[in-house]
């Protein structure tokens, strides 16, 4: 049984000199909603190529021109037409129904975060290349963050910019006030500051995870010049960011434990969790609590005392 999409397919692709334009999603995903369709196309293709046929109960082996599943195999697993699925991967101007996207997500064995990403790209409101309003932090929230000492805390924005922080955050992670204008940002600090690699013993794992989190958030602001500027700068500066960004991995944030190698205090252990202010849901309060291990609370008190 096949699932239908909610919009009739285009009768033909664009033509040049009497021939169809075969440049794929980049060529077809122009005009209104183009960036979103191109992002969805690249994501679906990336995930399809990452799945082995035997992982989903299909016979493996034999010669394959491309890695992973074929498009017709994904369509078969999802119960949708091969032509429709191909158009989605090509970034064509079709709008899949929620049931189609659900079926494709199941066929590709997407994680909950990846599934939400696909639904946003495939069903979300189209966004144009406009700059989002400048973010500000409510003065009351800013004072609350400052008063959370000795627990490190900060407020981050939609682009993971560091919008507010307290002294404990500055002495543990470095003072955001010393970062360049326009680059007071969690990703920039991780990828552009060599000290971050020494501070985080699990730098590669943590940095790759934050790229996956950022990928999910950036889907809401496709075409935003501020996002494009940051992404381009990170791709130019960091080969690791460039590699992981192209993987199209998506993740959500949650509670956890962090171990740091502080340059003067040595090993520090924290538990952390994110919270969203009700009046600014695009922002996150990230709060760290010292774990009673390796004298972390005492070391943190000393760092604060020495900072004045």
């Amino acid at each position: 049984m096949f699932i239908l999409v909610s919009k009739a397919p285009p009768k033909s692709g664009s033509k040049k000199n009497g021939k169809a334009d075969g440049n794929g999603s980049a060529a077809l995903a122009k005009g209104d909603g183009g960036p979103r369709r191109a992002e969805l196309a690249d994501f679906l293709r990336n995930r399809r190529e990452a799945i082995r046929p035997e992982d989903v109960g299909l016979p493996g082996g034999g010669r394959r021109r491309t890695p992973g599943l074929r498009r017709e195999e994904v369509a078969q697993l999802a119960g949708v037409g091969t032509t429709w699925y191909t158009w989605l991967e090509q970034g064509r101007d079709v709008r899949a129904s929620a049931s189609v996207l659900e079926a494709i997500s199941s066929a590709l064995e997407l994680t909950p975060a990846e599934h939400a990403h696909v639904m946003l790209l495939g069903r979300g409101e189209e966004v144009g290349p406009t700059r989002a309003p400048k973010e500000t932090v409510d003065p009351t929230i800013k004072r609350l963050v400052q008063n959370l000492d000795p627990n490190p805390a900060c407020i981050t924005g939609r682009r993971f910019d560091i919008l507010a922080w307290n002294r404990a955050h500055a002495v543990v992670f470095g003072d955001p006030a010393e970062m360049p204008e326009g680059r007071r940002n969690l990703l920039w600090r991780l990828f552009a500051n060599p000290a971050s690699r020494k501070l985080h013993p699990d730098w590669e794992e943590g940095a790759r995870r934050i790229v996956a989190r950022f990928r999910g958030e950036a889907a809401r602001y496709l075409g935003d010049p501020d996002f494009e500027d940051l992404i381009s700068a990170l791709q130019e500066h960091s080969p690791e960011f460039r590699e992981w960004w192209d993987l199209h991995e998506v993740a959500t944030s949650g509670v956890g434990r962090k171990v740091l190698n502080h340059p003067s205090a040595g090993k520090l252990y924290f538990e952390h969790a994110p919270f969203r202010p009700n009046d600014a849901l695009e922002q996150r309060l990230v709060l760290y609590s010292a774990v009673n291990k390796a004298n972390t609370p005492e070391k943190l008190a000393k760092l604060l005392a020495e900072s004045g």
Side-chain angles (χ1 to χ4, degrees), residues 41-118:
D42 289 342
F43 182 83
L44 292 176
R45 182 167 53 253
N46 182 281
R47 285 295 167 268
R48 171 175 60 81
E49 293 177 351
I51 298 178
R52 299 180 304 173
E54 52 268 33
D55 292 338
V56 291
L58 295 176
R63 298 185 62 181
R64 287 175 173 262
R65 292 181 299 173
T66 57
L69 298 177
R70 300 186 178 99
R71 286 172 173 169
E72 58 266 27
E73 290 171 333
V74 175
Q76 174 189 340
L77 290 168
V80 302
T82 300
T83 300
W84 275 113
Y85 179 78
T86 299
W87 279 329
L88 287 175
E89 268 204 19
Q90 290 178 340
R92 297 211 184 195
D93 188 9
V94 295
R95 182 175 172 83
S97 66
S99 58
V100 164
L101 296 176
E102 294 279 0
I104 291 173
S105 296
S106 178
L108 294 175
E109 299 185 338
L110 301 185
T111 66
E114 291 169 338
H115 170 255
H117 186 62
V118 164

Side-chain angles (χ1 to χ4, degrees), residues 139-162:
T140 299
I141 298 294
K142 187 176 293 187
R143 286 192 295 272
L144 288 172
V145 169
Q146 293 168 348
N147 290 334
L148 285 171
D149 282 331
N151 298 300
C154 69
I155 295 284
T156 61
R158 53 179 168 258
R159 203 183 68 153
F160 292 19
D161 292 322
I162 306 170

Side-chain angles (χ1 to χ4, degrees), residues 186-257:
L186 290 181
L187 290 119
W188 191 257
R189 182 164 68 182
L190 268 177
F191 287 96
N193 184 0
S196 289
R197 296 175 185 256
K198 298 178 180 178
L199 179 66
H200 299 273
D202 61 344
W203 181 88
E204 183 170 339
E205 178 184 350
R208 183 169 176 173
R209 188 185 307 116
I210 198 172
V211 171
R213 286 172 45 208
F214 182 64
R215 165 71 73 175
E217 290 296 320
R220 303 175 184 276
Y221 304 98
L222 290 174
D224 186 308
D226 289 333
F227 275 81
E228 297 298 329
D229 170 68
L230 177 61
I231 293 167
S232 296
L234 287 165
Q235 287 175 321
E236 181 177 349
H237 188 89
S238 169
E240 293 97 340
F241 179 88
R242 190 163 56 247
E243 175 187 354
W244 297 333
W245 185 254
D246 288 342
L247 292 178
H248 288 263
E249 293 176 331
V250 181
T252 55
S253 58
V255 300
R257 178 171 288 209

Side-chain angles (χ1 to χ4, degrees), residues 121-137:
L121 293 175
R123 299 291 298 172
E125 295 296 323
E126 306 290 4
V127 294
T130 58
R131 180 174 276 108
K134 182 178 179 179
E135 289 185 284
T136 59
V137 179

Side-chain angles (χ1 to χ4, degrees), residues 250-274:
V250 181
T252 55
S253 58
V255 300
R257 178 171 288 209
K258 185 174 290 294
V259 182
L260 302 174
N261 288 325
H262 194 273
S264 62
K267 277 277 195 295
L268 297 174
Y269 293 82
F270 293 96
E271 292 177 327
H272 61 88

